[in-house]
Amino acid sequence: MGVSSLPLQLAAHPAAAERWIDKEFQPSSLTREQQRDEMKWFTQTAQRLKAQGVQEIRVVSEVIDTHAYEANVLSQAFFDITGIRVVHEIMPEGDLVQRLQKAIYSNSSPYDGWISDSDLIGTHYRYGVIEALSDFMKGAGKDYTNPGLDLKDFIGLRFTTAPDGKLYQLPDQQFANLYWFRADWFARPDLQQRFKARYGYELGVPLNWSAYEDIAEFFSKHVREIDGQPVYGHMDYGKRDPSLGWRFTDAWLSMAGVADKGLPNGLPVDEWGIRVASDQCTPVGASVARGGATNSPPAVYALNKYLQWMNDYAPRQAKALDFSEAGPVAGQGQIAQQIFWYTAFTAALTKPGLPVMNADGTPKWRMAPSPHGVYWKNGMQNGYQDVGAWTFFKSTPQRRKAAAWLYAQFVTSKTVSLKKSITGLTFIRESDIRHEYFTRNADRYGGLIEFYRSPARIAWTPTGSNVPDYPQLATLWWTNIAAAINGEASPKEALDTLAAQMDKQLGELQAQGMQHCAPRLNPKSDESRYLSDKGAPWKKIPQEKNQGETIAYEKLLQAWREGRVR
């Protein structure tokens, strides 16, 4: 770049920033003047990188509405404002994880920045190839770190912080797994009376799996049809696909009560069933024979319930659907409830004209905390939350890494993030959640705003740091669960195989070594040594069908408003 051209370029970009602030970045938690100042910093900082030859960067993320908005709109805004072009690819998460795995093993990244789930925090920490942002922001990235970044405003930093206390990823979007239900159907007096006459308690939000099961049976087997259409008391997915693994690791076993108490994920045994040593970092096994819980009685119970409900109460096509295909089905108007629903689909289910939307723009459905299984106890993980977060390789050339870091800060900046939150409904900043826009429009989102304004948003947690190699271990889940779905193995056989394969994988990681907290397997013992009623792995409960319990939705909503988890 010639020195003579620099003033012209500096003059051009503030005008572009003004246009984007006016036409796209409204509303914002910042004043218009604050937005102008923040964009001026991006413009000026980008000029230093362009002077060093950076003209274009490549980044990648999974396919959700938020990332489509970044790829289609925000990347263009960044180019107009900074002059640095962004190739922002989006792809199915399974493909992204495979590419990330290859990059980690080769320590060579084809992208300058990745939006990688915080589920990989244990992987990123142990292999030592991912940049610790805590160090980067003080060192090589200091001059490229936005003074207005305001890390304290991010709600998910604890999920992207490794056992060494360092921040490895910057949250870009978050969404939770919650219970979804047709509030309009649940409020019908005729259905309430029929349910109570049959089951002996009120039709409401289920607090335990027994109530969920009763409600599923009620709608699928007894109501059967509403307004001339078949209805179903349950919805799920079961396609032999990587997303089938997420269905369980996000975090079905912990909802059943597999793990130990404690947040975020239970120690020493987490929601994958992996036990760590007393240092709270070294994985020592997944099978019950090594002190883990992947094939423990609560895990078998969890898989049995998953299969039973999908076979008995879900639409026939559910088994053939993956995560992305199943997400919008509830919006078609035939599903009464869904125990395991990602709030990333909120935007898709609030579109005008859907059978699940009222004419005034409010939904006929609501979301609530998912019910828990018979093994679950107070103090255990409440549910799962996904945190997609910016991730950078140490091996990426510094100039390109700095430019990707600049883009990451741009799409998470206060100038941009409120509008991005309105578009994708995947909140990352406290200032956005508390903004008056969402106060005025809370009734349009079916409980999502109340959830994210409550302590629940911290009690719902991603995969923790017990998992030493997410890509390799995640693959074992969907292949073994598929065997149970297809009748190739019983639930117990499938989980025994899964646990043994996880132990084998941990052993291989132990042999090859990792930079931090490599696995060190416990010797195999009789399962009776570890099965307990004091901690995971938990003993079998003789009666796994307990009394159903429900609660009125308004009581739950009031708890969130008053600052309680439930």
Side-chain angles (χ1 to χ4, degrees), residues 26-29 418-423 425 427 431-445 449 453:
Q26 299 299 330
S28 169
S29 61
L418 179 57
K419 180 60 182 292
K420 190 174 83 168
S421 295
I422 294 168
T423 303
L425 299 174
F427 304 101
S431 56
D432 295 335
I433 295 165
R434 301 288 174 182
H435 193 271
E436 62 177 356
Y437 175 89
F438 287 114
T439 300
R440 293 195 311 268
N441 292 283
D443 63 348
R444 294 178 173 268
Y445 302 114
I449 307 307
R453 287 181 173 182

Side-chain angles (χ1 to χ4, degrees), residues 369-409:
S370 292
H372 295 123
V374 71
Y375 289 88
W376 190 89
K377 300 167 181 62
N378 283 324
M380 290 182 173
Q381 182 188 22
N382 282 271
Y384 174 81
Q385 187 167 194
D386 185 292
V387 180
W390 284 98
T391 310
F392 305 92
F393 279 73
K394 291 179 179 178
S395 60
T396 299
Q398 287 296 335
R399 287 176 293 179
R400 299 184 66 83
K401 187 189 306 181
W405 172 238
L406 198 68
Y407 177 66
Q409 294 173 94

